[in-house]
Amino acid sequence: MKSKEIQGYIFGVLTALCWATSPIFIARGLEGIPSSIWATAIGLAVATIIYLAYFLLQHKEQELFKIRKKDLLWQVAAGLAGGLGILSRNIALDTTRVAVVIGLVQLQILITLVLGPIIQGKAERERITPRLLVGIVLILGGTILIIYGRNL
């Protein structure tokens, strides 16, 4: 396995750890915050500070001016989708159980499978394989069990 690939797996697991604990912290914090919009703003402000610190520590400020406008627009679209997703997740966490919200969030795999090839074209690393389809079926089955498990 290549070094970059190992790094990708390590950061993938770190992402899962962070994204798994984040909703738990959010749900707990929503008990004392008057609105999920405030919770979202606080969380995004903290994330912005982390990104800024990382960016400054890397000493890559000059790279910002090398970004093509087309690529910048994709990142703006990603920011809009991510921000709306975080807000929607926080509103959902304010109204229902964490396990149900996170179960529903896992449905993102279906949307990714449909939109990925449309937006990225026929990128080799985004191809759909039988193994990927089995994983998707398992995720969907788990989501159904989480949502309806109490009623079965």
Side-chain angles (χ1 to χ4, degrees):
M1 197 178 287
K2 297 177 187 169
S3 174
K4 279 284 198 187
E5 195 173 358
I6 293 170
Q7 185 180 10
Y9 284 110
I10 290 170
F11 278 96
V13 170
L14 181 59
T15 302
L17 176 65
C18 292
W19 284 356
T21 55
S22 174
I24 297 166
F25 298 151
I26 291 167
R28 179 69 188 266
L30 283 170
E31 294 172 6
I33 294 179
S35 157
S36 54
I37 294 174
W38 274 110
T40 303
I42 293 166
L44 290 175
V46 171
T48 300
I49 291 168
I50 291 169
Y51 297 148
L52 182 60
Y54 179 82
F55 188 66
L56 293 174
L57 289 173
Q58 294 296 312
H59 303 291
K60 297 184 178 182
E61 306 86 23
Q62 69 279 6
E63 290 182 358
L64 182 61
F65 301 107
K66 296 179 183 177
I67 298 174
R68 297 180 305 183
K69 287 183 182 178
K70 179 178 89 170
D71 296 323
L72 183 62
L73 289 175
W74 283 114
Q75 293 308 311
V76 168
L80 286 171
L84 288 172
I86 292 168
L87 177 60
S88 298
R89 181 185 67 174
N90 288 356
I91 292 169
L93 288 168
D94 200 18
T95 58
T96 194
R97 296 177 314 160
V98 173
V100 170
V101 173
I102 299 310
L104 288 169
V105 168
Q106 298 312 310
L107 297 176
Q108 70 187 333
I109 190 72
L110 294 175
I111 298 166
T112 301
L113 280 178
V114 171
L115 291 182
I118 293 169
I119 293 172
Q120 290 189 314
K122 296 186 179 190
E124 176 62 24
R125 70 181 214 183
E126 300 300 331
R127 66 185 155 89
I128 298 171
T129 64
R131 192 179 278 178
L132 179 65
L133 291 174
V134 168
I136 291 165
V137 168
L138 292 172
I139 289 170
L140 292 175
T143 301
I144 290 167
L145 286 174
I146 288 169
I147 295 169
Y148 296 110
R150 288 185 168 184
N151 301 326
L152 293 178

